[in-house]
Amino acid sequence: MSLMIDAPEATSTRPYLIRALYEWCTENGFTPYLAVSVNDTVQVPREYVKDGEIVLNVSFDATTGLRMGNDYIEFKARFAGTARDIMVPVNRVIAIYARENGQGMAFPLVSTEEGKPVASSATAESRPAPPALQHEHKVPQLTSVESDHGADGSDREPDPPRPVASGPRPSLKRVK
């Protein structure tokens, strides 16, 4: 006689990966950005939504009361000087990445009814960046966060990321 036990359904890995990449960004001095596919379940200022998406700066300096739960990401942020309450269902996050170098992860959009991917069969690493990432922030494609192992499997330190040149070099001006 064999017993058939129903295993509990595992929770999504998406909120854990988002939190891990957020921590990675902040520990390395990068600015974490969330790309969100907006629908009626997403609470963001609609005037900043372009092509059904919004990109949110979720750095410590840009948010107040940031809570990254398994179901929702909630915080307060200023838009044009006005504090706004932001609430994003985790399944609406389509990418988290570092503004400075574009490293991060893209996620397939998940339907709320069945918890299944909506369309693409492409993997997060091979999928091009969402339009909001390509145009506004000039990130041609999201790249995955690299492991601590070199290509040969050794434990040597990876090369540090190089900043992207974006105009003339800043200079300091002495004010007396």
Side-chain angles (χ1 to χ4, degrees), residues 56-166:
L56 301 167
N57 177 346
V58 290
S59 68
F60 180 77
D61 295 336
T63 62
T64 302
L66 177 64
R67 292 187 307 182
M68 299 179 106
N70 288 346
D71 298 317
Y72 292 95
I73 297 171
E74 302 173 75
F75 57 94
K76 287 186 185 237
R78 292 193 169 273
F79 290 83
T82 305
R84 307 285 281 270
D85 289 320
I86 307 299
M87 187 174 70
V88 176
V90 169
N91 67 356
R92 301 304 297 178
V93 174
I94 53 177
I96 181 169
Y97 66 99
R99 181 192 71 188
E100 292 79 2
N101 62 13
Q103 287 190 335
M105 183 176 286
F107 302 99
L109 189 57
V110 176
S111 70
T112 54
E113 300 87 35
E114 301 172 18
K116 295 181 181 176
V118 170
S120 176
S121 62
T123 65
E125 288 184 25
S126 65
R127 184 171 112 187
L133 301 182
Q134 291 177 347
H135 302 299
E136 290 180 18
H137 304 289
K138 297 182 179 97
V139 178
Q141 183 171 349
L142 290 175
T143 56
S144 61
V145 178
E146 297 176 15
S147 71
D148 291 335
H149 301 291
D152 58 358
S154 68
D155 286 333
R156 68 174 180 78
E157 283 289 316
D159 293 333
R162 293 196 169 116
V164 177
S166 60

Side-chain angles (χ1 to χ4, degrees), residues 3-44:
L3 275 172
M4 203 61 146
I5 299 175
D6 288 333
E9 193 171 310
T11 58
S12 171
T13 58
R14 184 181 303 222
Y16 300 94
L17 293 169
I18 291 170
R19 287 191 294 265
L21 286 166
Y22 174 86
E23 186 176 330
W24 175 82
C25 283
T26 56
E27 284 184 4
N28 286 283
F30 299 134
T31 308
Y33 274 18
L34 285 180
V36 178
S37 178
V38 178
N39 69 4
D40 292 339
T41 65
V42 179
Q43 182 181 331
V44 295

